[in-house]
Amino acid sequence: MITINNKARNYILTKGSCIHVIHGNGAAMCCGRINFGPSVGLGKPRKPENYNLMVMDGIDVYIPKSFHTYHPLIIGLGSFLGIKNLRIEGWKIL
């Protein structure tokens, strides 16, 4: 259920062809807990044994074994003040 768009793919290939999904932790709020969603990091995770490895378009993608989603997600490339960063699009907070 995760895909990588072309801009993100080209960026990842220039940075080593390996990414990992960082599972977002919930935050306590006055009316319960809310999960702001996952993020994406370059390179292998610190504990690869806790991840499933998938290969997508020549990119190694490590996804946490505990990660579940009911919506299709897209790894995209963003930019803020000229600094490029990977992001996950399509995450539903509720």
Side-chain angles (χ1 to χ4, degrees):
M1 301 249 327
I2 295 179
T3 58
I4 303 171
N5 72 19
N6 287 333
K7 287 183 181 180
R9 181 182 180 278
N10 293 336
Y11 177 75
I12 295 165
L13 290 173
T14 64
K15 297 292 183 180
S17 303
C18 183
I19 59 172
H20 62 281
V21 174
I22 302 165
H23 196 282
N25 292 328
M29 311 269 307
C30 62
C31 51
R33 293 185 65 80
I34 189 165
N35 186 339
F36 291 107
S39 57
V40 181
L42 289 169
K44 290 183 181 180
R46 289 187 184 150
K47 295 183 179 181
E49 64 272 7
N50 295 335
Y51 290 75
N52 292 319
L53 174 62
M54 297 175 58
V55 178
M56 295 183 206
D57 296 326
I59 298 171
D60 292 342
V61 181
Y62 288 86
I63 300 174
K65 291 181 180 178
S66 62
F67 184 76
H68 302 335
T69 181
Y70 299 103
H71 305 281
L73 302 176
I74 300 169
I75 297 174
L77 183 65
S79 178
F80 182 72
L81 298 175
I83 300 170
K84 294 180 181 179
N85 56 54
L86 295 170
R87 62 179 180 213
I88 294 186
E89 301 166 357
W91 181 259
K92 305 291 182 192
I93 292 178
L94 301 175

